[in-house]
Amino acid sequence: MATTRLTRAYQMQIARYWRVLFVAMLLLLHLTAMRGVEDIWARALMLAHFGLFILWQPFMRGEQSLTPKQLGVVVLVCVLVLFFWNWWLMLLWLCILAGVVGGKVFAFQERWQRYFHLTVLLYLVSLLLIWVFPMLLPAFTQAPELTQFAEYGLPLLFLILLFLPAKGETSDTPQVVDFFYSAFLFMIIALLVLGSFAFMTLGRLSYPVALTYSLLVLAAILLLLGLAWNPRAGFSGLGTLFSRYLLSVGLPFEQWLYFLAGLSQAEAQPEKFLSQACAGLGKLPWVSGGAWRSSAYSGEFGQPSRNTVEYADRELNLRVYTQYSLSPALTWHFNLLGQMLGEFYTAKLREQKLQQQSYMQAVYETGARMTHDVKNLLQSLNVLCAAAEQDSDRSEELQALMRRQLPVIAQRLQNTLDKLRQPQSDNSSQVQARSWWQGLQRSYAGQKVEFGAGEIGDQVLLPGELFDSAADNLIQNALGKRRQQGEFAINVSFTCSEAVRLEIRDAGHAIAREVAAELLRGPVPSDSGFGIGLYQVARQAEACGYALELAHNAEGRVSFVLSGPLNPAARPPAA
């Protein structure tokens, strides 16, 4: 904590040092203007002012080495200051400096930093209009009050600058200048000066009146531009047109979206889609070639050049070679095109993963359903084996039971093998409702299961596989529940007069509320498994036009109901 406080204090001292340096630069500029451009000491002060500006300027870092061209510009400015300095150059320099400081006003978010740069801008504009520009007017005589104000009043702003809080300003604060606002402010000040000069020359007006007219004209022009940029009448303005221009520079944005959408529908493979999209990007007039790289593949198109621009995200790295160096607008536009290409490519990858997951889910569901079919068949065989061990003296009854059950078990086993060979084939064979009900009663004879039937039509057909799976799963679950909780009644009722309804009801404990909420919707933990069999039966019932639901879930009465129309039209299962 102490180290953090010391670091902050040191950064505040550095920020205060830079502020004092900036105020000293303005003080030298003020002394130069007050002494006049012809004074040799004024030129020396101006040279010192320019040196401090080089230390403060936000365009180059302090550790950066000057190139020969930059060094030549510095020498040229020094020569102009020493030998050719005049009021016109002073006016031009004040306009440039005001534009730079004004550009920093819009770049900072801290309130006190904005106040600091606004105060500097006020000083520079006041010095220009009150002192420097009148020196260029041959017939204008400065009032003594304005002269005293310029000499002794404007320097008071330096004290305000020194005592303004340096909150939010540290040694790491970046020196950022908004070029657009700087250029706009420079042109506004230049227009104000030239407009005043034009009013004085053409209209034979005095300087204060000409300056007032120029301010009024500029205010009216800025008001009209503001209304045209963002009108309040409900129609688009210059801001919308400017945004459309930025979006359509080099290539209309709508055409690129149309191209990507058409290619996305025509090509399903992500890598082929990316390769063809990059080839389409190479048809732009300002693109000579490029290279792309994804997680598994890479490719090139066109011819390389020394001018490059890159776009990169998690799935795509794209480099484009251009015929000439791109402007900031074109670079931003390319990043937008690259982002759209990356989004389409990511969507293709997700689509491929979804297809793979759907395939794996189909394999899993088929395997899970087959597993439960085999388990039910094994349970039926265990019943027969138990009957054979208990009824060894009554061989005739045992043989009759074997003759009834073994063909049914063989047929269900054959259906299971057929589904393993051809998972997509439709094996939902129709069986007569009455014969199916009689077979179900025979299968669970001696298991202490009570059967009760309502009206059963002679011509009603049922999907045998669905009803076999539903009845076996629900009855076996009830029998297993009875073995765990103790003896209770299990009732099975069936009717198919106006609609098909199969209900399996037991008198055991209720299913836990959190388990019942997710039952039939997915695998859930239970005392004897995960409910996968019921989930598979529910999905199979939906595919056949039926519905399986937990009708009652109370203590002493838990019932599942499989219901549906008499002869429903089977629907294909959802992917």
Side-chain angles (χ1 to χ4, degrees):
M1 181 64 69
T3 305
T4 304
R5 292 178 179 176
L6 290 175
T7 303
R8 292 179 179 175
Y10 175 72
Q11 291 179 347
M12 292 294 293
Q13 291 180 0
I14 295 296
R16 183 67 62 179
Y17 164 74
W18 284 108
R19 180 167 292 189
V20 171
L21 176 67
F22 186 66
V23 173
M25 180 185 70
L26 295 179
L27 180 61
L28 292 177
L29 178 64
H30 184 80
L31 294 176
T32 301
M34 294 301 108
R35 294 185 67 90
V37 295
E38 294 83 5
D39 187 74
I40 187 64
W41 291 106
R43 299 190 178 191
L45 292 174
M46 189 64 196
L47 194 61
H49 161 80
F50 184 67
L52 292 181
F53 173 80
I54 292 178
L55 294 178
W56 170 83
Q57 52 81 29
F59 306 106
M60 295 183 296
R61 296 179 177 271
E63 64 273 10
Q64 182 178 352
S65 301
L66 293 178
T67 63
K69 185 183 295 185
Q70 294 170 345
L71 187 60
V73 172
V74 173
V75 172
L76 177 61
V77 172
C78 293
V79 171
L80 290 176
V81 169
L82 289 176
F83 299 102
F84 303 100
W85 193 249
N86 54 46
W87 290 113
W88 284 107
L89 290 177
M90 173 69 78
L91 178 67
L92 178 62
W93 176 248
L94 284 176
C95 291
I96 294 175
L97 193 59
V100 173
V101 175
K104 293 173 71 67
V105 172
F106 300 98
F108 284 98
Q109 301 299 325
E110 292 292 339
R111 182 179 61 179
W112 293 111
Q113 293 183 18
R114 291 201 302 268
Y115 288 167
F116 178 83
H117 291 95
L118 283 173
T119 306
V120 174
L121 184 61
L122 174 63
Y123 166 76
L124 293 174
V125 175
S126 301
L127 181 64
L128 187 148
L129 297 178
I130 296 176
W131 185 261
V132 176
F133 183 58
M135 294 296 178
L136 295 170
L137 305 176
F140 178 74
T141 303
Q142 185 72 275
E145 294 81 5
L146 289 178
T147 301
Q148 293 180 0
F149 175 75
E151 291 179 351
Y152 306 108
L154 290 180
L156 295 178
L157 295 176
F158 298 156
L159 298 178
I160 298 176
L161 294 176
L162 290 175
F163 288 102
L164 279 176
K167 184 178 179 180
E169 187 177 352
T170 64
S171 59
D172 297 331
T173 302
Q175 297 288 329
V176 181
V177 176
D178 193 313
F179 176 77
F180 179 79
Y181 284 111
S182 296
F184 184 74
L185 187 59
F186 172 81
M187 288 188 293
I188 290 295
I189 297 175
L191 285 176
L192 180 61
V193 172
L194 295 178
S196 301
F197 187 78
F199 277 117
M200 293 178 62
T201 303
L202 301 178
R204 304 296 180 178
L205 301 176
S206 62
Y207 174 62
V209 177
L211 182 60
T212 303
Y213 285 173
S214 298
L215 288 173
L216 291 176
V217 171
L218 280 177
I221 293 175
L222 291 177
L223 178 61
L224 291 177
L225 286 177
L227 292 177
W229 184 267
N230 188 18
R232 298 295 190 270
F235 54 90
S236 61
L238 295 179
T240 304
L241 295 178
F242 183 70
S243 300
R244 290 178 180 176
Y245 169 75
L246 289 180
L247 288 176
S248 61
V249 59
L251 176 70
F253 189 65
E254 293 83 0
Q255 292 186 11
W256 177 249
L257 284 180
Y258 180 78
F259 170 73
L260 288 181
L263 184 60
S264 177
Q265 294 179 358
E267 184 55 59
Q269 296 296 326
E271 303 305 330
K272 293 182 179 179
F273 165 79
L274 183 58
S275 177
Q276 296 180 18
C278 291
L281 189 64
K283 297 178 181 179
L284 297 180
W286 44 272
V287 175
S288 61
W292 57 271
R293 185 176 71 255
S294 63
S295 58
Y297 299 92
S298 62
E300 297 180 353
F301 59 94
Q303 300 295 327
S305 66
R306 62 179 183 178
N307 300 313
T308 62
V309 59
E310 294 188 9
Y311 170 80
D313 59 9
R314 292 184 300 176
E315 302 291 346
L316 175 63
N317 191 321
L318 178 63
R319 172 179 294 181
V320 170
Y321 301 103
T322 60
Q323 298 178 2
Y324 48 85
S325 181
L326 297 184
S327 63
L330 274 178
T331 302
W332 176 81
H333 181 68
F334 167 76
N335 287 330
L336 185 60
L337 300 184
Q339 184 176 1
M340 294 304 304
L341 177 58
E343 291 295 333
F344 271 86
Y345 177 65
T346 304
K348 281 292 178 183
L349 291 178
R350 291 174 180 171
E351 181 181 353
Q352 187 181 51
K353 291 180 180 179
L354 285 176
Q355 291 177 352
Q356 294 175 353
Q357 291 177 358
S358 299
Y359 175 76
M360 295 303 297
Q361 182 179 2
V363 173
Y364 163 76
E365 291 182 355
T366 302
R369 186 186 302 175
M370 300 304 102
T371 301
H372 280 81
D373 289 346
V374 172
K375 183 189 74 173
N376 294 332
L377 292 174
L378 181 60
Q379 290 173 347
S380 300
L381 290 176
N382 289 334
V383 171
L384 293 179
C385 292
E389 293 177 357
Q390 296 175 3
D391 299 337
S392 57
D393 297 336
R394 294 178 290 179
S395 59
E396 295 182 359
E397 296 181 1
L398 178 61
Q399 290 178 2
L401 179 63
M402 291 292 184
R403 285 194 297 268
R404 291 194 304 267
Q405 294 297 321
L406 287 180
V408 176
I409 294 175
Q411 181 61 37
R412 292 176 60 183
L413 183 59
Q414 183 62 43
N415 293 336
T416 302
L417 292 176
D418 292 340
K419 285 187 289 185
L420 286 175
R421 295 190 185 98
Q422 297 178 347
Q424 302 300 329
S425 63
D426 186 10
N427 294 322
S428 57
S429 59
Q430 301 290 317
V431 297
Q432 190 178 15
R434 189 180 299 276
S435 63
W436 176 84
W437 176 247
Q438 294 173 354
L440 181 65
Q441 289 178 321
R442 290 192 299 267
S443 298
Y444 288 95
Q447 297 292 320
K448 297 182 181 181
V449 178
E450 299 179 6
F451 292 89
E455 182 180 353
I456 302 177
D458 295 332
Q459 304 299 324
V460 177
L461 298 178
L462 303 175
E465 180 184 347
L466 169 63
F467 276 79
D468 285 339
S469 298
D472 286 341
N473 275 281
L474 293 172
I475 295 175
Q476 291 295 338
N477 289 343
L479 292 174
K481 182 178 177 181
R482 186 166 63 182
R483 286 192 295 270
Q484 292 179 355
Q485 300 178 6
E487 288 295 328
F488 54 76
I490 300 176
N491 301 92
V492 180
S493 61
F494 178 68
T495 180
C496 54
S497 57
E498 297 180 356
V500 179
R501 190 176 190 273
L502 173 65
E503 181 180 7
I504 290 88
R505 182 175 67 253
D506 66 73
H509 298 310
I511 303 175
R513 182 176 301 177
E514 58 275 8
V515 176
E518 297 297 328
L519 196 63
L520 306 180
R521 298 181 180 180
V524 293
S526 63
D527 295 336
S528 58
F530 294 94
I532 297 178
L534 294 180
Y535 169 71
Q536 294 292 339
V537 172
R539 300 288 78 77
Q540 188 179 3
E542 290 180 1
C544 295
Y546 287 80
L548 177 65
E549 60 180 350
L550 177 61
H552 297 90
N553 184 31
E555 195 70 21
R557 186 183 181 187
V558 179
S559 66
F560 289 87
V561 174
L562 176 64
S563 60
L566 290 179
N567 292 299
R571 301 192 306 268

